[in-house]
Amino acid sequence: MCLNAMADEPKPTPENTIHVQLAAPVPPQKFAKPPKFFISEVIDRSGNPQPMLVLRDRGGVFLDRQPTQITREAIEQSLKAADLLAADAASADLVLQIYVFHFGLAQGSGLDFFGKVEFSVMVKNLKTEESQQIQAAGTSIANAAVRKKNVQKNVQANIEGALEDAVRNLLRGTQLREAVASLLKNTPSAPAAAPNGGVASINGAASKGKTSKTNLHER
């Protein structure tokens, strides 16, 4: 029985392998002072022993790359298009570490395919060592299909739709905006207000102190 199960196990071939990618970069939200992001690691936390096998029935449907690689490419593509991607961690304002929890299909009914992509992102300011974790998820549903070629086409469209949805939720979501604002509100140069230890700012004009505070937040 075990040998029969192994014999029935689908194998990746050029005919049952799909290429998943964003059709176009997802435009990130606008920031008052656009930060530079760098993706350090993308880690698979799905617990799936075969993350590239997205459909076992009908001979199987396989991804041509690991979900972690596809996720990295999609986010980097979108950040680069908006000029928000740093060349390395040293030149970045914030470093992203991504944990992929689900990439592929979710439970559906009948011949419908539900795409689902879910990951969390640790956003870290290397200068202050502060970090925040945010969540992003995307879903998509394709039409029913009977022919194998249409099944593969719908599976691919479904996962791409879920991937785009998840990347949009990350880059355009309030969680990222709040994390960026919180992690970049203080910089290493922030305490250097006045050489006399701040006495001038206390005794100075109120309007001058207010201007200084505003400029500090903008930095």
Side-chain angles (χ1 to χ4, degrees):
M1 184 174 179
C2 182
L3 292 175
N4 290 337
M6 292 178 63
D8 293 338
E9 188 72 14
K11 301 286 192 301
T13 67
E15 289 72 29
N16 67 2
T17 301
I18 58 176
H19 182 78
V20 171
Q21 64 179 8
L22 291 182
V26 174
Q29 60 190 288
K30 301 295 183 182
F31 297 96
K33 183 182 178 183
K36 292 287 187 177
F37 298 95
F38 178 75
I39 300 176
S40 60
E41 291 182 287
V42 184
I43 301 167
D44 187 347
R45 287 289 176 83
S46 66
N48 184 357
Q50 293 180 288
M52 296 173 68
L53 175 62
V54 293
L55 182 67
R56 191 175 298 274
D57 299 336
R58 308 188 189 198
V61 177
F62 290 82
L63 301 170
D64 64 352
R65 298 164 348 274
Q66 291 288 340
T68 50
Q69 183 181 347
I70 299 172
T71 302
R72 175 187 286 274
E73 290 172 358
I75 298 173
E76 286 185 341
Q77 175 189 357
S78 299
L79 291 173
K80 185 175 182 180
D83 196 26
L84 297 178
L85 183 66
D88 50 38
S91 61
D93 298 299
L94 296 169
V95 173
L96 309 178
Q97 189 171 48
I98 301 168
Y99 302 91
V100 179
F101 291 99
H102 193 101
F103 193 104
L105 298 179
Q107 288 297 112
S109 60
L111 296 176
D112 291 336
F113 298 110
F114 293 85
K116 181 181 178 183
V117 172
E118 182 180 359
F119 51 82
S120 69
V121 181
M122 184 67 72
V123 187
K124 186 171 186 178
N125 183 330
L126 294 183
K127 296 181 178 67
T128 64
E129 294 296 323
E130 294 181 324
S131 63
Q132 287 194 19
Q133 187 163 319
I134 61 180
Q135 310 293 327
T139 56
S140 178
I141 182 171
N143 295 326
V146 177
R147 297 180 58 190
K148 185 173 180 180
K149 183 176 291 187
N150 290 338
V151 168
Q152 290 187 10
K153 181 180 177 181
N154 283 3
V155 168
Q156 179 175 340
N158 230 27
I159 298 175
E160 287 179 339
L163 175 63
E164 181 181 352
D165 196 26
V167 174
R168 182 183 298 107
N169 286 339
L170 169 65
L171 298 182
R172 301 187 67 83
T174 58
Q175 288 188 62
L176 181 62
R177 182 173 69 245
E178 291 170 355
V180 169
S182 175
L183 296 173
L184 295 182
K185 66 181 178 182
N186 295 319
T187 62
S189 60
N196 61 1
V199 175
S201 110
I202 296 173
N203 297 332
S207 61
K208 184 177 179 180
K210 186 179 293 184
T211 303
S212 175
K213 186 177 181 182
T214 302
N215 290 339
L216 183 64
H217 282 299
E218 289 178 354
R219 286 200 295 272

